[in-house]
Amino acid sequence: MITLRMCVGHLLRAGVGLYRKDEFVGKARRIFSAWICRDLGWVRRIGLALSLATMSIVPSVAQSASPVTPSSGTSLNSDANPTNASETGTVSGTVLDKDGAAIPNAAVQLKEGEFSEQSVSGGDGTFTFKSVPAGAFELSFSASGFATLHESGSVRAGESNELPPVQMVVSTTIEVNVSQTRVEIAEEQIHVEEKQRILGVVPNYYVSYDPDPKPLTARQKVELGRKFTFDPVALGIAGLIAGVQQATNSFSGYGQGAQGYFKRFGASYADFVSGTFFGNVVFPIVFKQDPRYFYKGTGSRKSRLMYALANAVICKGDNGRWQPNYSSVLGSLAAGGLSNLYYPASNRNGAALTFENAALGVAGSAGAGVVQEFFIRKVTPHRHDQSTNP
């Protein structure tokens, strides 16, 4: 943005110089982002008739069978693994919390080799497993809000093994929310902006194509200004401007030859440095304003044009609100006043030159905004934006 501003300002100055027929051709400033699931076939359950027929053959067996009444801790599939009663035992216990209170509806699973059975604790926390094969077994306990617990034991044939109370511990869940701070997001956005170069060459750092730009800290403003000022392309542009000034004999007080060229080069680069330092670093820090141009890219061409022109005199503050662009205007004044120290005596005009340079700086900002809004985005690679308008 600032390079375009310098370029436009330089062209405006050249026009003023031709109109006046004096030597104000030089001084450039701020040069050029459901299945439809069909249940195929209803599952038909058959076999009940066969079972009933079998039971009718041996009614005495059916009549002699006694019903099994579940205990307070009911087994969910106690008949899943029928075993000879002389080879099995019973395992029971109570599930408690650390304060000794019963934990109802705790899921209890017993495993012994291929034998597996599940149960839930009753209202008093008790559970019972019947017909457990003799031998060593493993128990696991789980309940909502409690950490899963594992216990082991053994039971002998015909034995009723009542386990010691099982105490479950409340589970502790630690939630870690990893989120970036505003400063970290701004830092990432700056890294993207530092890769923005017009045609892949000319720095285009001071333009944000991001749809949600974060404000810069004072340190980030200084760092961005430093990298922009000492970019090799900036030196090349200053050298090019100095060459044009020498060819047109602008600021004739510098003379010609190598000495005259390097004086013009120094003055041109000093304009660039002072414009960046005052307008993009010092005053934006003092007034808490953002020195970047925020690409609009949406709306009618007229609204975008007015937006681009207005950015010469308004800017976005670090609080996200639009406000008068004190930084740019005062930065142009400060840079213009400083130029009186190194321009030839014949080209100095005190306050008049200072305000003229400031006015040209503002006009350059307006022109640069228009160029940025309608043209530069197309030739700036590595930008980050979500705009739909070209």
Side-chain angles (χ1 to χ4, degrees):
M1 181 68 178
I2 190 170
T3 49
L4 286 173
R5 192 184 311 166
M6 289 180 64
C7 182
V8 175
H10 176 66
L11 292 175
L12 290 172
R13 254 182 219 91
V16 172
L18 290 174
Y19 175 77
R20 294 181 177 178
K21 297 182 182 180
D22 59 17
E23 298 172 350
F24 292 122
V25 181
K27 196 162 180 297
R29 182 182 311 279
R30 308 187 181 183
I31 309 184
F32 331 59
S33 232
W35 285 49
I36 299 175
C37 230
R38 293 177 54 191
D39 188 1
L40 299 178
W42 297 82
V43 179
R44 299 180 178 179
R45 305 180 183 273
I46 62 175
L48 287 175
L50 181 59
S51 298
L52 290 173
T54 304
M55 291 176 64
S56 66
I57 296 174
V58 283
S60 59
V61 177
Q63 292 175 359
S64 62
S66 58
V68 179
T69 303
S71 63
S72 57
T74 305
S75 173
L76 299 182
N77 57 346
S78 59
D79 296 328
N81 296 282
T83 309
N84 193 317
S86 63
E87 299 176 357
T88 62
T90 301
V91 177
S92 61
T94 307
V95 186
L96 309 174
D97 61 17
K98 65 181 183 65
D99 297 321
I103 302 178
N105 299 318
V108 187
Q109 184 176 33
L110 184 149
K111 286 185 178 182
E112 181 181 339
E114 296 181 357
F115 178 85
S116 177
E117 194 169 354
Q118 292 183 339
S119 180
V120 292
S121 61
D124 56 356
T126 62
F127 65 92
T128 300
F129 290 99
K130 298 180 179 181
S131 301
V132 179
F137 58 82
E138 296 287 338
L139 286 170
S140 64
F141 303 85
S142 59
S144 177
F146 294 87
T148 300
L149 180 66
H150 298 276
E151 295 284 349
S152 61
S154 63
V155 63
R156 289 182 290 186
E159 179 185 48
S160 179
N161 185 2
E162 183 173 356
L163 302 175
V166 177
Q167 284 193 324
M168 299 186 70
V169 179
V170 176
S171 63
T172 303
T173 302
I174 301 176
E175 294 185 2
V176 179
N177 294 322
V178 180
S179 59
Q180 290 181 301
T181 64
R182 189 182 71 173
V183 175
E184 291 171 336
I185 297 175
E187 195 71 31
E188 290 184 357
Q189 293 175 348
I190 290 177
H191 290 329
V192 173
E193 292 164 14
E194 290 172 351
K195 297 177 182 178
Q196 296 174 171
R197 290 180 179 269
I198 302 172
L199 297 175
V201 178
V202 181
N204 197 26
Y205 298 170
Y206 281 98
V207 177
S208 175
Y209 296 100
D210 197 289
D212 184 26
K214 302 302 179 184
L216 307 180
T217 64
R219 181 191 63 78
Q220 290 170 336
K221 292 173 184 176
V222 172
E223 188 65 15
L224 188 61
R226 181 189 67 79
K227 291 181 178 180
F228 184 72
T229 300
F230 294 103
D231 190 281
V233 177
L235 294 170
I237 293 175
L240 180 62
I241 293 174
V244 173
Q245 291 175 348
Q246 180 121 340
T248 57
N249 199 29
S250 298
F251 306 106
S252 57
Y254 286 141
Q256 289 293 322
Q259 184 178 16
Y261 173 80
F262 283 110
K263 286 181 179 179
R264 290 180 175 88
F265 172 80
S268 178
Y269 188 64
D271 286 345
F272 176 77
V273 173
S274 63
T276 303
F277 179 73
F278 289 115
N280 290 44
V281 178
V282 176
F283 289 118
I285 292 177
V286 172
F287 293 106
K288 297 182 179 181
Q289 296 181 328
D290 201 307
R292 297 170 295 178
Y293 177 84
F294 298 98
Y295 178 76
K296 187 174 188 288
T298 57
S300 65
R301 289 186 176 273
K302 181 179 179 181
S303 67
R304 293 172 65 189
L305 175 63
M306 297 305 296
Y307 170 84
L309 293 173
N311 267 260
V313 292
I314 64 172
C315 69
K316 187 174 288 189
D318 292 344
N319 58 4
R321 299 177 182 176
W322 291 97
Q323 53 193 254
N325 198 345
Y326 306 115
S327 300
S328 180
V329 175
L330 292 179
S332 297
L333 283 170
L338 186 63
S339 67
N340 281 293
L341 300 178
Y342 51 80
Y343 272 85
S346 60
N347 298 114
R348 299 175 190 169
N349 194 18
L353 177 61
T354 298
F355 283 99
E356 178 183 293
N357 288 338
L360 292 175
V362 173
S365 296
V370 173
V371 175
Q372 283 287 0
E373 188 64 33
F374 292 99
F375 304 104
I376 299 302
R377 174 178 171 268
K378 300 177 182 179
V379 293
T380 301
H382 305 298
R383 67 181 186 271
H384 173 72
D385 67 285
Q386 298 177 0
S387 301
T388 55
N389 287 13

